[in-house]
């Protein structure tokens, strides 16, 4: 770990946190990119795109079933818990936006939280308007069907080529607008900065006057957009980043 700075929270400090797969690495969940990354073993287009689902839905369900099985027993780590403690200090001056679908921020107790790319333990119909629902089942041999229209169910995940929920993006820009009137810190944790629009949040934060901080094991692709880069493990750095408990 490099020498970690500590940021003093003022009574008006607003903090927007963006997390990626790196924050869950210490909980035993594989990241996407890098040597042991998930996208090294599975072609991304085959398992994380609407085209992949249209051509081989069972392959897609096997991939996400495997991920459900491996993520279910995992526990939040010190990094997730540090963000819960930060939210307890800041209340409405805090917002967590995660690209992770593993549900570990929920398990940790984060409340002001947006799951930008969906949730691994939620399914929805690939066709009708039935609301997304909790689903911890695994589907390896047979495709699941919607109880209402009988078309295939699909994971409630935002795949490549699909749009994010506009209400999520609005919540991020609304928070930034509010924060821009005050002391504002934008903190990105455990993300390679390679997937948009999340990779562009640091730029929006800068425009809104934020001090921008990256906590990551390696320099992210967008590292140059950050004022501060603290290199190391999220679970070691986050608990002390705002002066400890
Ligand atoms: P990546 O796998 O692209 O990047 C994870 C980052 O975390 C890397 O830069 C690592 O250096 C860093 N890292 C690893 N262990 C860490 C640790 N213990 N502490 C801090 N940093 C650590 O994951 P994301 O940036 O989250 O989308 O990927 C973004 C999106 O691309 C994902 O949400 C996913 C993927 O394709 C979908 O599936 C839709």
């Amino acid at each position: 770990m490099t020498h970690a700075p500590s940021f003093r929270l003022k009574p008006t400090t607003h903090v927007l946190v963006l997390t990626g797969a790196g924050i869950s690495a210490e909980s035993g969940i594989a990241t996407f990119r890098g040597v042991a990354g998930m996208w090294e073993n599975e072609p991304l287009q085959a398992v994380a795109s609407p085209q992949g689902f249209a051509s081989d839905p069972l392959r897609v369900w096997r991939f996400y079933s495997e991920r459900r099985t491996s993520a279910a027993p995992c526990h939040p780590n010190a990094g997730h818990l540090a963000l819960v403690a930060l939210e307890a200090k800041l209340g409405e001056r805090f917002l967590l936006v995660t690209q992770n679908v593993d549900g570990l921020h929920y398990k940790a107790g984060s409340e002001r939280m947006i799951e930008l790319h969906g949730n691994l333990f939620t399914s929805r119909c690939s066709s009708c308007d039935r609301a997304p629902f909790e689903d911890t089942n695994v589907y390896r041999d047979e495709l699941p069907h919607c109880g209402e229209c009988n078309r295939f169910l699909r994971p409630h995940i935002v795949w490549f080529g699909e749009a994010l929920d506009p209400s999520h993006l609005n919540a991020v820009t609304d928070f930034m607008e509010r924060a821009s009137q005050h002391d504002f810190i934008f903190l990105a944790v455990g993300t390679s900065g390679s997937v948009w629009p999340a990779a562009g949040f640091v730029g929006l934060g800068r425009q809104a006057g934020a001090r921008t901080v990256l906590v990551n094991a390696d320099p992210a692709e967008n590292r140059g957009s950050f004022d501060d880069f603290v290199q190391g493990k999220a679970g070691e750095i986050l608990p002390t980043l705002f002066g400890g408990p």
Side-chain angles (χ1 to χ4, degrees):
M1 176 175 40
T2 54
H3 175 67
S6 180
F7 298 94
R8 178 104 65 86
L9 297 172
K10 300 178 191 157
T12 61
T13 302
H14 286 56
V15 181
L16 176 59
V17 185
L18 171 70
T19 62
I23 196 169
S24 293
E26 290 157 81
S27 294
I29 294 182
T31 59
F32 293 95
R33 296 171 182 80
V35 185
M38 258 180 276
W39 297 149
E40 289 299 306
N41 304 316
E42 287 285 347
L44 179 160
Q45 286 299 334
V47 295
S49 77
Q51 295 79 5
F53 189 71
S55 75
D56 192 348
L58 196 53
R59 178 179 184 172
V60 172
W61 265 119
R62 283 193 183 128
F63 173 73
Y64 285 101
S65 293
E66 183 52 44
R67 292 187 60 199
R68 281 183 179 178
T69 305
S70 55
C74 293
H75 299 290
N77 63 56
H80 298 101
L81 296 175
L83 295 180
V84 177
L86 183 61
E87 179 179 356
K89 283 183 191 162
L90 298 175
E92 293 303 319
R93 292 181 283 122
F94 174 92
L95 181 65
L96 170 59
V97 184
T98 187
Q99 299 165 88
N100 299 344
V101 297
D102 56 35
L104 287 183
H105 286 301
Y106 269 131
K107 269 196 192 171
S110 288
E111 289 176 2
R112 294 166 180 87
M113 206 259 289
I114 291 171
E115 290 180 313
L116 206 59
H117 292 168
N119 182 285
L120 184 57
F121 300 100
T122 304
S123 298
R124 70 171 192 263
C125 182
S126 60
S127 179
C128 78
D129 289 341
R130 176 186 179 185
F133 58 95
E134 187 181 344
D135 184 8
T136 54
N137 293 320
V138 294
Y139 307 104
R140 293 200 177 91
D141 304 317
E142 262 183 62
L143 285 165
H145 289 81
C146 173
E148 290 183 16
C149 74
N150 209 33
R151 306 292 285 270
F152 295 145
L153 294 179
R154 58 163 281 177
H156 186 50
I157 304 262
V158 181
W159 286 326
F160 288 90
E162 294 185 319
L164 300 186
D165 182 337
S167 73
H168 288 167
L169 294 175
N170 288 342
V172 171
T173 49
D174 287 353
F175 185 90
M176 287 205 189
E177 200 175 313
R178 215 160 20 98
S180 68
Q181 317 293 318
H182 305 281
D183 182 49
F184 178 19
I185 296 172
F186 174 83
L187 170 65
V189 183
T191 176
S192 56
S194 55
V195 175
W196 289 72
F201 288 175
V202 60
L204 297 177
R206 290 184 79 88
Q207 282 168 24
R211 178 161 183 185
T212 52
V213 183
L214 172 68
V215 171
N216 213 52
D218 306 297
E221 271 183 33
N222 57 356
R223 183 260 172 275
S225 302
F226 288 87
D227 298 311
D228 304 277
F229 171 40
V230 189
Q231 186 161 16
K233 292 185 174 178
E236 293 174 5
I237 294 166
L238 291 186
T240 61
L241 201 62
F242 296 97

